Amino acid sequence: MIARIAFALAVVLIVAVSIGPLGYAVVTSLETGSALFTPGLWPDAPTVANYAAVFAEQPFARNILNSILVAGGVVVLSLALAVTAAYALARVEFRGRGLLLGTVLSVSMFPQVAVLSGMFLLIRSLGLYNSLPGLGLSYLMLTLPFTVWMLTTFVRQIPKDLEEAAIMDGAGPLTIIGRVFLPVLWPALVSTGLLAFIVAWNEFLFALTFTLTAETRTVPVAIALISGASAHELPWGRIMAASVIVTVPMVVLVLVFQRWIVSGLTAGAVKG
Amino acid sequence: MIAPMALVLLCVAAWPLGRTIWLGFTDASLAGAGDAAFIGWENYYAVFGGQAFGVLADPQWWRSVGNTLVFTVASVSLETVLGVLVALVLHQRFPGRAWVRAAVLVPWAIPTVVSAKMWAWMLNDQFGVVNAALEGMGLIDAPLAWTADPLLSMVAVIGVDVWKTTPFMALLVLAALEMLPRDIYEAARVDGIHPVRVFFRVTLPLIRPALVVAIVFRTLDALRVFDLVYVLTANSPATMTMSVYARRELIDFQSAGTGSAAATLVFLIIALAAALILTAGRLRGREAGP
């Protein structure tokens, strides 16, 4: 009986610690004025004034659109590049295949700051400084290695008879990818794509460095740079409102696609 | 088939890395990097008029290295222990288990910048809910300066990182637990072996490979930490990590040369850590092999 109560308490504690901070952010975002500065677990006079202020005082809608465009573009590009590469890496025998896969994986260990100055020069020389395509380009370094790795793992799990039948019928590689693999591979594409989307959506260092104006900022930078009248007077209500706006869709996305994400993470880590 | 992917990676990973390493040997500034001159090792270490200059002579660089190591060791060990505990709880069958599992994923789903801001607010010295709760419970007499005090700010950074990344650990461990055959546990239960003993003798050795992979991923990730530290404590020397140091040199001080030299050192340290871990893993694998 004691063991059961202790177990139940552990479960309650885990849930409280996991979702408590987000809950408190929601409470804060609904408060203004002096209510904000009296720590309490429930808003006394809930108001959406902070939510209105987030959009009124800075181009936050534009920031959200920027994040969606960059993350979406990065997902499409990474998946397109990774699917073709994964097919070859998983199916075609050639010398140095293991070395190539290892090199690709090692890129995912690169500290971002190590490429920061080089990437800055690259983006500037392409005329893409302070633009969304420039940012998207830099994100490929973060998403390509693990999308290639994960999709290669998934393609290896597909039985060979499938494409052997297609080869017998005279299909080329692109037809095989499009007609044979993609239909079987779509759950893998969903989980890989989601992880790539989350990486791009959350990225901060590149976004902070490669954008300059409020109109090209993505959401994480916009939130980090919200400031008040003075440095010591941060508008916490507005910051929390902005945080809730960008977090809730992420949480919903992750919860809806829970199974896919977990299978993707474990395919990338455990089986690799 | 591989060429497009390889070409893109060459352009966005290998080339910028090479450029960074090169810039570390020049006196470039990012504003006009075109006309940079080669100056050898001066960004790393040089002596002018009896005084040492360069990244390696900067006490703050070594403090950043120390901070990074403390952060990495503390947060990865705490995450591992807590992650395994959470995974063991989630592995049990109980009503509402699916919901609890979903709840555990929430911190992982929150963008790092947002979680740093959320915790900065909760840890606020005057109006934060954490100080209010601690005072209410009578644990502290006066509010603590969580993000300003040198020691406490490190505790805060580690705490928030543990909160944010324990779900990742728990998920990977849970996936490993679910692949274990249930009959071993039946046998242990029938024999009346204490559950704690079963965990250390049976479960832990079986999930070890998955656990090691998770720890390696988290260690390499923690060594390059940037977002959390930068948003929670800005450029504070007490919590400054290697990545924060390199960015400050590069952007805030506009010194592409020393910044790139520091960035190169970060890369080398992480590559070295990865090589050490891989070699250790391989040696161990050989011992355990047939």
Short mmCIF file of all heavy atoms in Angstrom, two decimals, chain B residues 148-173:
data_model
loop_
_atom_site.label_atom_id
_atom_site.label_comp_id
_atom_site.label_asym_id
_atom_site.label_seq_id
_atom_site.Cartn_x
_atom_site.Cartn_y
_atom_site.Cartn_z
N ALA B 148 21.91 35.94 -10.97
CA ALA B 148 22.97 36.93 -10.84
C ALA B 148 24.13 36.41 -9.99
O ALA B 148 25.30 36.64 -10.30
CB ALA B 148 22.42 38.22 -10.23
N ASP B 149 23.83 35.71 -8.92
CA ASP B 149 24.87 35.16 -8.05
C ASP B 149 25.73 34.15 -8.84
O ASP B 149 25.19 33.30 -9.54
CB ASP B 149 24.20 34.47 -6.85
CG ASP B 149 25.22 33.88 -5.92
OD1 ASP B 149 25.73 34.62 -5.07
OD2 ASP B 149 25.50 32.66 -6.03
N PRO B 150 27.07 34.26 -8.74
CA PRO B 150 27.93 33.38 -9.55
C PRO B 150 27.64 31.89 -9.37
O PRO B 150 27.51 31.15 -10.34
CB PRO B 150 29.34 33.73 -9.07
CG PRO B 150 29.23 35.09 -8.48
CD PRO B 150 27.84 35.22 -7.94
N LEU B 151 27.53 31.45 -8.13
CA LEU B 151 27.32 30.02 -7.89
C LEU B 151 25.90 29.60 -8.25
O LEU B 151 25.68 28.61 -8.95
CB LEU B 151 27.62 29.70 -6.41
CG LEU B 151 27.51 28.22 -6.05
CD1 LEU B 151 28.61 27.43 -6.75
CD2 LEU B 151 27.61 28.02 -4.54
N LEU B 152 24.92 30.40 -7.77
CA LEU B 152 23.51 30.05 -8.02
C LEU B 152 23.18 30.07 -9.50
O LEU B 152 22.37 29.27 -9.96
CB LEU B 152 22.60 31.03 -7.27
CG LEU B 152 22.43 30.77 -5.79
CD1 LEU B 152 21.50 31.82 -5.18
CD2 LEU B 152 21.86 29.38 -5.54
N SER B 153 23.80 31.00 -10.27
CA SER B 153 23.44 31.06 -11.68
C SER B 153 23.88 29.78 -12.40
O SER B 153 23.20 29.30 -13.29
CB SER B 153 24.02 32.30 -12.34
OG SER B 153 25.41 32.34 -12.17
N MET B 154 25.01 29.20 -11.98
CA MET B 154 25.43 27.94 -12.56
C MET B 154 24.43 26.83 -12.18
O MET B 154 24.05 26.01 -13.02
CB MET B 154 26.84 27.58 -12.09
CG MET B 154 27.45 26.40 -12.79
SD MET B 154 27.30 26.45 -14.59
CE MET B 154 28.97 26.39 -15.10
N VAL B 155 24.00 26.85 -10.90
CA VAL B 155 23.00 25.88 -10.46
C VAL B 155 21.73 26.03 -11.30
O VAL B 155 21.15 25.04 -11.75
CB VAL B 155 22.69 26.08 -8.96
CG1 VAL B 155 21.51 25.22 -8.53
CG2 VAL B 155 23.90 25.77 -8.11
N ALA B 156 21.33 27.29 -11.53
CA ALA B 156 20.11 27.53 -12.30
C ALA B 156 20.25 27.01 -13.73
O ALA B 156 19.36 26.33 -14.25
CB ALA B 156 19.79 29.02 -12.31
N VAL B 157 21.39 27.30 -14.37
CA VAL B 157 21.59 26.86 -15.75
C VAL B 157 21.54 25.33 -15.83
O VAL B 157 20.88 24.75 -16.70
CB VAL B 157 22.94 27.39 -16.30
CG1 VAL B 157 23.31 26.70 -17.58
CG2 VAL B 157 22.87 28.89 -16.50
N ILE B 158 22.23 24.68 -14.89
CA ILE B 158 22.23 23.21 -14.89
C ILE B 158 20.81 22.68 -14.64
O ILE B 158 20.33 21.78 -15.33
CB ILE B 158 23.21 22.67 -13.82
CG1 ILE B 158 24.64 23.00 -14.23
CG2 ILE B 158 23.05 21.16 -13.64
CD1 ILE B 158 25.66 22.74 -13.15
N GLY B 159 20.12 23.28 -13.67
CA GLY B 159 18.76 22.84 -13.35
C GLY B 159 17.83 22.93 -14.55
O GLY B 159 17.10 21.98 -14.86
N VAL B 160 17.86 24.07 -15.24
CA VAL B 160 16.97 24.24 -16.39
C VAL B 160 17.34 23.25 -17.50
O VAL B 160 16.46 22.67 -18.15
CB VAL B 160 17.00 25.69 -16.91
CG1 VAL B 160 16.10 25.84 -18.12
CG2 VAL B 160 16.56 26.65 -15.82
N ASP B 161 18.62 23.02 -17.71
CA ASP B 161 19.02 22.06 -18.74
C ASP B 161 18.54 20.65 -18.39
O ASP B 161 18.06 19.92 -19.26
CB ASP B 161 20.54 22.07 -18.91
CG ASP B 161 20.97 21.25 -20.13
OD1 ASP B 161 20.62 21.68 -21.24
OD2 ASP B 161 21.60 20.20 -19.96
N VAL B 162 18.66 20.29 -17.12
CA VAL B 162 18.20 18.97 -16.69
C VAL B 162 16.69 18.85 -16.93
O VAL B 162 16.20 17.86 -17.46
CB VAL B 162 18.54 18.72 -15.20
CG1 VAL B 162 17.83 17.49 -14.68
CG2 VAL B 162 20.04 18.57 -15.03
N TRP B 163 15.97 19.90 -16.56
CA TRP B 163 14.51 19.91 -16.77
C TRP B 163 14.17 19.70 -18.24
O TRP B 163 13.29 18.95 -18.59
CB TRP B 163 13.93 21.23 -16.27
CG TRP B 163 12.46 21.37 -16.51
CD1 TRP B 163 11.46 20.82 -15.77
CD2 TRP B 163 11.83 22.11 -17.55
NE1 TRP B 163 10.24 21.17 -16.29
CE2 TRP B 163 10.44 21.96 -17.39
CE3 TRP B 163 12.30 22.88 -18.62
CZ2 TRP B 163 9.51 22.55 -18.25
CZ3 TRP B 163 11.39 23.46 -19.47
CH2 TRP B 163 10.01 23.30 -19.27
N LYS B 164 14.95 20.37 -19.11
CA LYS B 164 14.63 20.37 -20.54
C LYS B 164 15.02 19.08 -21.24
O LYS B 164 14.36 18.66 -22.19
CB LYS B 164 15.38 21.56 -21.18
CG LYS B 164 15.36 21.63 -22.67
CD LYS B 164 14.42 22.72 -23.12
CE LYS B 164 14.42 22.83 -24.63
NZ LYS B 164 13.68 21.76 -25.26
N THR B 165 16.09 18.42 -20.80
CA THR B 165 16.60 17.29 -21.58
C THR B 165 16.37 15.92 -20.95
O THR B 165 16.60 14.92 -21.60
CB THR B 165 18.10 17.46 -21.85
OG1 THR B 165 18.72 17.85 -20.65
CG2 THR B 165 18.34 18.49 -22.91
N THR B 166 15.91 15.89 -19.68
CA THR B 166 15.59 14.59 -19.08
C THR B 166 14.58 13.81 -19.93
O THR B 166 14.71 12.59 -20.06
CB THR B 166 15.11 14.77 -17.63
OG1 THR B 166 16.18 15.34 -16.87
CG2 THR B 166 14.72 13.45 -17.01
N PRO B 167 13.55 14.46 -20.53
CA PRO B 167 12.62 13.69 -21.36
C PRO B 167 13.31 12.90 -22.46
O PRO B 167 12.96 11.74 -22.72
CB PRO B 167 11.71 14.77 -21.96
CG PRO B 167 11.75 15.88 -21.00
CD PRO B 167 13.12 15.87 -20.39
N PHE B 168 14.32 13.50 -23.11
CA PHE B 168 15.05 12.81 -24.18
C PHE B 168 15.66 11.53 -23.65
O PHE B 168 15.53 10.44 -24.22
CB PHE B 168 16.12 13.75 -24.73
CG PHE B 168 17.04 13.13 -25.75
CD1 PHE B 168 16.64 13.00 -27.07
CD2 PHE B 168 18.30 12.68 -25.38
CE1 PHE B 168 17.48 12.44 -28.00
CE2 PHE B 168 19.15 12.11 -26.32
CZ PHE B 168 18.75 11.99 -27.63
N MET B 169 16.35 11.66 -22.51
CA MET B 169 16.98 10.52 -21.87
C MET B 169 15.93 9.46 -21.51
O MET B 169 16.08 8.28 -21.80
CB MET B 169 17.66 11.04 -20.60
CG MET B 169 18.83 10.27 -20.13
SD MET B 169 20.05 10.08 -21.40
CE MET B 169 21.48 10.71 -20.61
N ALA B 170 14.84 9.92 -20.86
CA ALA B 170 13.81 9.00 -20.41
C ALA B 170 13.21 8.23 -21.59
O ALA B 170 12.99 7.02 -21.52
CB ALA B 170 12.72 9.76 -19.67
N LEU B 171 13.00 8.94 -22.72
CA LEU B 171 12.40 8.29 -23.89
C LEU B 171 13.30 7.21 -24.46
O LEU B 171 12.84 6.12 -24.78
CB LEU B 171 12.17 9.33 -24.98
CG LEU B 171 10.88 10.11 -24.87
CD1 LEU B 171 10.79 11.08 -26.03
CD2 LEU B 171 9.72 9.14 -24.89
N LEU B 172 14.60 7.53 -24.57
CA LEU B 172 15.52 6.54 -25.14
C LEU B 172 15.63 5.33 -24.21
O LEU B 172 15.66 4.19 -24.66
CB LEU B 172 16.90 7.16 -25.37
CG LEU B 172 16.96 8.19 -26.49
CD1 LEU B 172 18.40 8.55 -26.79
CD2 LEU B 172 16.29 7.70 -27.76
N VAL B 173 15.69 5.58 -22.90
CA VAL B 173 15.78 4.47 -21.95
C VAL B 173 14.49 3.65 -21.99
O VAL B 173 14.52 2.41 -21.97
CB VAL B 173 16.07 4.99 -20.53
CG1 VAL B 173 16.03 3.86 -19.52
CG2 VAL B 173 17.43 5.66 -20.48
#
